[in-house]
Amino acid sequence: MGLSAAAPLWGPPGLLLAIALHPALSVPPRRDYCVLGAGPAGLQMAYFLQRAGRDYEVFERAPRPGSFFTRYPRHRKLISINKRYTGKANAEFNLRHDWNSLLSHDRRLLFRHYSRAYFPDARDMVHYLGDFADTLGLRVQYNTTIAHVTLDKDRRAWNGHYFILTDQKGQVHQCSVLLVATGLSVPNQVDFPGSENVEGYESVSIDPEDFIGQNVLILGRGNSAFETAENILGVTNFIHMLSRSRVRLSWATHYVGDLRAINNGLLDTYQLKSLDGLLESDLRDLAILKDSKGKLHVTLKFFLEEASTNQSADAITLPQDDNDNFAMRVPYDRVIRCLGWNFDFSIFNKSLRLNSGNAFGKKYPLIRASYESKGSRGLFILGTASHSVDYRKSAGGFIHGFRYTVRAVHRLLEHRHHSVAWPATELPITQLTSSIVRRVNEASGLYQMFGVLADVILLKENAMAFEYLEEFPVQMLAQLETLTGRKARHGLFVINMEYGRNFSGPDKDVFFDDRSVGHTEDAWQSNFLHPVIYYYRYLPTEQEVRFRPAHWPLPRPTAIHHIVEDFLTDWTAPIGHILPLRRFLENCLDTDLRSFYAESCFLFALTRQKLPPFCQQGYLRMQGLVSTESLRQHRVENRLLRDDAPMGRDLEDSSQQPGNQELLGAPLAPGPLAQSLDSNKEEL
């Protein structure tokens, strides 16, 4: 029964009730996992936590997921491709070319169902992320802004402390592990005299009518700068673009964050003499002065220092006064800042030691290759803000990359806090070649996070079996046993995807003659993305990983094999791809990995002391002899079988065994290799 309405609140019954409830009211709710941000990375982690049955909560300041995409990009066109057709039915392969979908078990939650455009509208991303959260029932607290994060040391906590989160209402939340997926949200600004006259990308008008007949200067050289220029290119007098670095074209550098072709129209107008232009200078050396007519003049900082007067263009000597062909001598009507974004460190207490303090640390938090903060155990950075691990190298700053690094972090957490070993498939050694070929031809995470996430094969004793681990952070290889719960006592292979050293660069002609390699003996010179297999007799040490040779993603191995680049990224050619790979593996293992008919195994058993693994795992396990034409003819000649008897019944005992018309041993792993090996069993 409830309390009587007449009972005094602080009478004896009410006082006892208040005392009983006080501890519960004073202790903030405690979660195992807190996720900051319901953008793509936050929702991706929430999905994995929910599937694992973990205690978690996502905090999002906006009323719906993907709030970044409600404003950005300002001109609404994404540069993440939505390739809906590949000619393949393999779902994993198709994810290689789907840059927007998150990982889930629900095939309805693929971005291809939300947009037909190759470069989609940002509103489609907002719609997609909302459906992802709602359909999967992810636990998100909307309209909750985390204003401050600090630590509370506690020996009982998983990591020796709890993370204390305070929201905008003053409510406190505790968690054992903090997963920060807030992205980059603070506009990057350069402080120079007159910077108050500069408009920001985040607030400048996107209506071309507001720029008719104007002279415009854009500070920056990335996609946001060129996107802004593309929007007003047809209405301005001219557009000048200023930055300290040269233009980096994504097709030349092979970095998705560099200038994409969809935005680079200004390069045409510049090179075809249509008044627009690009200049290079350090912005910190400049100053912008406004004259009495409101026009903006670009000058150098030392001119102001020499003048030591008020900062008016009408009173200060400008560069063109001494140099009548100064490039920026014409005044501008608008100056727009498009310098990218930085991580928001403001909500994190200094006790978390999240910022390194160096120039690079101003943009990204300082984290390890496992995506855990170097300053606070149990604090992980996900999504765009984790890009410092592979900045300008791989795709970790973008959805098609960080959906896989988020999964890797989740697997690390599962082992650390729940004793769940890193997922692995144990297979007989006879399936080693086919397993590698299937992964390099289909796997999306291996393909997109090249040089960052790699597959690891752990050999069992006597190399008769192996464990296959997918998409492990390659720079954490020395700590593999600690992080995964798997043992690497008998040697290992690492499968990595790599570009050649001469493939790209801002100063290189990437379309040079003889840029491709077609012969297997020259595979190590392949420039385009291709699989590289490293073999180690022992797990490398941390020192070996840290002091590896320059430009090597891994320490020097016992042996290494490059699979020659392929124009179609289809590494299934029996002679060009599979045969050299199989021979490399055989040399490392000192064994024969070929597949044989039982007749050959029977002959091996009579003539050799050591049988190939395929025969040991099939023929010697009493699976019998598979019928072949030569065996049939042998029985006919010895009057053991009528000449008109069907071939399938020549070995009656064997014919009763299921699968006798198949190869002995475990079946080949499904994938593009199966048919080619089936028709080339003994030739290879």
Side-chain angles (χ1 to χ4, degrees):
M1 296 181 61
L3 292 174
S4 169
L9 180 61
W10 292 106
L15 181 60
L16 291 175
L17 180 62
I19 293 174
L21 291 177
H22 182 266
L25 294 173
S26 62
V27 176
R30 181 177 293 170
R31 299 284 188 186
D32 287 345
Y33 299 95
C34 290
V35 182
L36 297 191
L43 295 182
Q44 185 67 87
M45 177 54 79
Y47 168 76
F48 291 125
L49 291 171
Q50 181 143 311
R51 290 283 285 181
R54 304 306 174 201
D55 175 39
Y56 78 94
E57 193 75 33
V58 181
F59 299 97
E60 169 56 45
R61 62 183 178 183
R64 56 182 176 175
S67 59
F68 178 86
F69 295 99
T70 61
R71 291 193 63 196
Y72 304 106
R74 294 294 312 283
H75 304 91
R76 313 312 291 143
K77 183 172 288 189
L78 301 176
I79 57 173
S80 50
I81 64 174
N82 178 39
K83 190 172 181 61
R84 301 173 67 232
Y85 303 102
T86 65
K88 302 288 183 68
N90 184 284
E92 178 72 9
F93 175 86
N94 288 338
L95 276 173
R96 288 184 170 187
H97 309 286
D98 173 355
W99 289 12
N100 299 283
S101 294
L102 297 179
L103 305 178
S104 82
H105 64 282
D106 193 334
R107 306 311 298 171
R108 297 172 299 172
L109 293 173
L110 291 174
F111 195 83
R112 64 191 307 272
H113 302 308
Y114 288 78
S115 174
R116 293 177 176 269
Y118 193 73
F119 293 105
D121 191 283
R123 288 169 293 189
D124 296 325
M125 178 59 73
V126 176
H127 182 199
Y128 171 74
L129 294 176
D131 280 1
F132 190 89
D134 293 342
T135 302
L136 298 171
L138 304 181
R139 296 195 289 272
V140 184
Q141 282 194 29
Y142 296 108
N143 299 307
T144 303
T145 301
I146 300 301
H148 187 252
V149 181
T150 188
L151 293 177
D152 181 17
K153 293 185 178 181
D154 191 326
R155 294 180 180 179
R156 298 168 297 176
W158 285 350
N159 298 294
H161 52 250
Y162 289 104
F163 295 94
I164 309 300
L165 285 60
T166 307
D167 63 25
Q168 81 278 19
K169 298 177 182 178
Q171 185 173 352
V172 176
H173 312 267
Q174 285 192 51
C175 52
S176 298
V177 175
L178 180 59
L179 302 153
V180 180
T182 53
L184 304 180
S185 58
V186 180
N188 184 31
Q189 302 188 45
V190 177
D191 187 22
F192 55 83
S195 59
E196 67 276 6
N197 298 315
V198 176
E199 301 173 79
Y201 170 80
E202 66 279 3
S203 58
V204 70
S205 171
I206 58 173
D207 184 357
E209 296 294 315
D210 293 339
F211 296 86
I212 292 177
Q214 294 185 358
N215 305 340
V216 177
L217 174 64
I218 296 177
L219 307 180
R221 193 59 56 86
N223 278 294
S224 61
F226 277 89
E227 166 205 328
T228 302
E230 194 78 12
N231 184 53
I232 60 177
L233 202 57
V235 298
T236 55
N237 296 334
F238 58 79
I239 300 173
H240 289 166
M241 194 171 287
L242 180 66
S243 178
R244 65 179 179 181
S245 62
R246 296 180 55 186
V247 175
R248 296 189 179 105
L249 300 166
S250 60
W251 52 261
T253 63
H254 196 78
Y255 174 58
V256 64
D258 283 336
L259 178 60
R260 305 292 296 283
I262 191 175
N263 287 328
N264 68 11
L266 187 135
L267 296 182
D268 275 2
T269 59
Y270 171 42
Q271 296 289 37
L272 298 177
K273 308 179 295 299
S274 293
L275 298 181
D276 304 310
L278 278 70
L279 306 108
E280 288 79 38
S281 177
D282 192 328
L283 301 183
R284 294 170 296 185
D285 295 333
L286 301 181
I288 294 179
L289 304 177
K290 181 183 287 188
D291 65 19
S292 57
K293 298 179 181 180
K295 299 289 185 178
L296 301 175
H297 297 258
V298 176
T299 185
L300 300 178
K301 190 184 299 185
F302 76 86
F303 276 87
L304 298 183
E305 295 170 350
E306 286 185 350
S308 65
T309 60
N310 62 60
Q311 296 183 5
S312 169
D314 299 315
I316 295 178
T317 301
L318 297 175
Q320 53 264 38
D321 295 333
D322 297 326
N323 182 2
D324 58 7
N325 69 341
F326 176 61
M328 291 181 288
R329 59 184 179 273
V330 177
Y332 297 95
D333 298 289
R334 314 278 283 268
V335 179
I336 306 171
R337 166 181 44 77
C338 303
L339 300 174
W341 309 90
N342 295 329
F343 183 78
D344 184 4
F345 291 94
S346 64
I347 68 171
F348 298 96
N349 187 276
K350 291 183 178 180
S351 62
L352 276 74
R353 296 180 295 174
L354 198 57
N355 190 358
S356 67
N358 57 31
F360 194 66
K362 293 178 181 178
K363 185 175 182 66
Y364 295 108
L366 187 61
I367 59 176
R368 306 179 191 276
S370 60
Y371 302 94
E372 187 171 19
S373 167
K374 291 187 176 182
S376 299
R377 181 176 169 84
L379 193 161
F380 289 82
I381 305 297
L382 310 177
T384 301
S386 69
H387 196 27
S388 59
V389 172
D390 63 307
Y391 183 64
R392 300 197 57 79
K393 297 177 182 177
S394 197
F398 312 91
I399 292 176
H400 62 291
F402 64 62
R403 61 192 178 195
Y404 301 107
T405 60
V406 168
R407 182 164 65 184
V409 170
H410 176 254
R411 288 170 172 171
L412 295 173
L413 292 171
E414 283 291 289
H415 178 249
R416 177 189 287 184
H417 298 304
H418 308 287
S419 301
V420 178
W422 191 283
T425 304
E426 184 168 341
L427 295 167
I429 202 67
T430 53
Q431 294 192 41
L432 180 59
T433 306
S434 60
S435 296
I436 294 175
V437 173
R438 179 178 61 84
R439 284 288 295 171
V440 300
N441 279 282
E442 297 175 0
S444 177
L446 195 64
Y447 186 86
Q448 292 295 359
M449 288 306 299
F450 56 90
V452 179
L453 300 181
D455 286 0
V456 180
I457 294 172
L458 304 178
L459 297 171
K460 294 292 188 178
E461 190 173 4
N462 299 324
M464 292 302 293
F466 63 91
E467 286 184 321
Y468 202 111
L469 284 65
E470 299 178 358
E471 297 161 15
F472 181 79
V474 70
Q475 294 307 314
M476 303 301 293
L477 185 61
Q479 302 176 38
L480 181 139
E481 293 186 334
T482 303
L483 297 176
T484 66
R486 306 288 178 178
K487 299 300 180 183
R489 296 174 177 172
H490 307 289
L492 64 153
F493 291 97
V494 178
I495 295 88
N496 196 29
M497 301 289 283
E498 299 177 14
Y499 282 94
R501 298 178 186 175
N502 297 319
F503 175 75
S504 62
D507 300 323
K508 295 181 179 179
D509 174 16
V510 297
F511 300 113
F512 62 91
D513 292 338
D514 301 323
R515 61 184 179 272
S516 64
V517 172
H519 300 291
T520 56
E521 59 268 24
D522 300 322
W524 63 279
Q525 294 181 312
S526 296
N527 282 316
F528 199 66
L529 190 68
H530 63 285
V532 183
I533 295 87
Y534 296 76
Y535 171 63
Y536 297 94
R537 290 196 179 95
Y538 307 100
L539 189 67
T541 65
E542 290 193 38
Q543 186 174 13
E544 288 172 335
V545 172
R546 180 177 300 179
F547 298 104
R548 62 189 182 275
H551 307 297
W552 279 58
L554 286 165
R556 192 177 299 278
T558 305
I560 189 171
H561 176 71
H562 291 252
I563 301 180
V564 68
E565 63 184 344
D566 186 79
F567 183 71
L568 301 175
T569 62
D570 179 12
W571 293 280
T572 59
I575 304 301
H577 300 134
I578 300 171
L579 177 58
L581 171 62
R582 196 210 75 215
R583 287 177 172 170
F584 167 75
L585 299 174
E586 289 177 335
N587 287 333
C588 293
L589 301 176
D590 190 25
T591 192
D592 192 330
L593 295 178
R594 289 179 294 176
S595 301
F596 296 96
Y597 286 110
E599 180 183 9
S600 298
C601 291
F602 176 69
L603 294 175
F604 286 150
L606 296 177
T607 59
R608 298 189 182 186
Q609 291 183 347
K610 180 181 178 182
L611 269 68
F614 193 91
C615 295
Q616 295 182 47
Q617 295 170 1
Y619 175 70
L620 291 188
R621 292 182 179 177
M622 306 298 291
Q623 289 189 351
L625 291 174
V626 176
S627 177
T628 66
E629 179 58 33
S630 60
L631 282 179
R632 179 184 179 280
Q633 187 62 34
H634 173 76
R635 297 199 67 176
V636 169
E637 291 173 355
N638 289 274
R639 299 181 181 180
L640 298 175
L641 182 71
R642 296 199 318 269
D643 192 26
D644 58 347
M647 178 176 170
R649 298 184 60 187
D650 61 349
L651 295 173
E652 295 181 4
D653 292 338
S654 296
S655 66
Q656 302 304 314
Q657 300 294 329
N660 260 346
Q661 299 307 313
E662 303 294 331
L663 286 176
L664 292 180
L668 290 173
L673 177 62
Q675 287 186 334
S676 59
L677 273 189
D678 189 50
S679 60
N680 293 275
K681 299 176 186 73
E682 298 197 50
E683 288 80 353
L684 295 186

